[in-house]
Amino acid sequence: MELLVVDDPGALAREAAARIADMVAERPDALLLAATGETPMGSYAELARLRRAGTLDTSSLRVAQLDEYRDTDASDPHSLYGWMDRALLEPLAIDPARVIRFAADEPDAELACRSYDAEIVAAGGIDIAILGVGLNGHLGFNEPPSSADAPTREVALTPESVESNRAYWAGSTIPDRALTAGMKTILATRRAILLVSGPRKAGILDRVLRSAPDPWLPASHLHRHPDAIVIADRAARPVA
Ligand code: GLP
């Protein structure tokens, strides 16, 4: 797994967006697996800027959701789909017909997960994944422990993850279950970019970089990915 350290969040956003734009130039109908969370927001804003500048054509780009809270539907502003819609789909003019999403309100979670995976297979697989890492090392909602072949599934969120979602659920009950693309799906992407920003993430990033693939540190499975890069800003990676 390659590591690229850049100066600051702005440079991180530009670097990630440039890599996505290169992929889209090569393959206009690329399928992008897109994390929500704070970390990729600058990159998505930069993609929108490139589109406005006329240097990025997103008219065929396809997107897949990485994870979703259980029992939310796409119209719920708290849903991760709602967040992705505001931050990525709307600014890049990506029609919902070009989005693979979780049917998180489907009573049968197993069915929702199998149909998500089947759509990804039918779409030809994921070309590029933009990922963030949780403070406990999770990718998507692959909470520790998650094996490298963990399937797309319903998961119980750890108390740490529930706590870090609190800010987004002011006043309402924070979900403690979610659907997530499995580690297996994440590791099958053609290219994976893990974005890490800020001093809060320095400790977990150091552990991920040093660790052999370990179910208790799900992001460490990326060491087995054939084309994975970590792009970190200096605050997240103060040491060389
Ligand atoms: C969240 C999401 C992940 C996200 C990660 C980091 O809980 N499930 O998809 O990448 O945690 O979030 P942030 O970028 O806000 O630190």
Side-chain angles (χ1 to χ4, degrees):
M1 183 163 63
E2 199 187 328
L3 169 67
L4 174 67
V5 181
V6 296
D7 284 344
D8 54 32
L12 183 139
R14 287 190 296 278
E15 185 63 43
R19 285 166 188 259
I20 299 167
D22 283 352
M23 165 65 86
V24 177
E26 208 176 284
R27 193 183 291 216
D29 66 346
L31 178 57
L32 167 70
L33 180 68
T36 49
E38 298 299 333
T39 316
M41 292 302 121
S43 310
Y44 298 160
E46 178 64 12
L47 286 174
R49 195 191 64 74
L50 294 175
R51 176 172 174 270
R52 283 194 305 274
T55 52
L56 171 68
D57 176 3
T58 56
S59 59
S60 305
L61 178 65
R62 298 171 299 158
V63 172
Q65 246 191 313
L66 176 63
D67 46 18
E68 184 57 276
Y69 297 119
R70 189 75 176 108
D71 296 329
T72 52
D73 69 41
S75 64
D76 184 339
H78 290 115
S79 70
L80 295 179
Y81 185 90
W83 191 351
M84 189 172 81
D85 188 36
R86 293 184 295 275
L88 182 70
L89 306 180
E90 199 273 324
L92 296 189
I94 294 168
D95 189 273
R98 283 186 277 132
V99 182
I100 298 176
R101 55 171 287 257
F102 283 106
D105 52 349
E106 155 70 52
D108 183 344
E110 180 61 21
L111 183 68
C113 291
R114 296 294 63 84
S115 100
Y116 169 92
D117 277 343
E119 278 189 71
I120 286 179
V121 170
I126 293 161
D127 295 297
I128 187 161
I130 296 298
L131 304 167
V133 63
L135 289 172
N136 62 1
H138 72 210
L139 286 186
F141 275 131
N142 287 278
E143 298 279 37
S146 287
S147 64
D149 61 359
T152 296
R153 66 203 184 286
E154 180 177 19
V155 290
L157 301 182
T158 59
E160 265 168 302
S161 294
V162 172
E163 198 46 44
S164 57
N165 297 333
R166 181 176 296 283
Y168 306 114
W169 289 86
S172 12
T173 311
I174 315 165
D176 58 3
R177 303 193 73 79
L179 304 184
T180 185
M183 278 310 312
K184 193 174 175 181
T185 304
I186 293 172
L187 293 177
T189 57
R190 296 191 179 90
R191 190 170 297 167
I193 301 180
L194 176 63
L195 301 176
V196 193
S197 177
R200 220 166 56 99
K201 296 284 177 74
I204 194 69
L205 175 58
D206 190 60
R207 285 181 57 207
V208 168
L209 291 172
R210 289 166 184 273
S211 174
D214 177 356
W216 289 96
L217 197 54
S220 66
H221 291 303
L222 287 176
H223 287 296
R224 291 233 171 88
H225 190 289
D227 185 359
I229 182 168
V230 178
I231 308 179
D233 59 25
R234 186 51 72 193
R237 191 61 182 163
V239 293

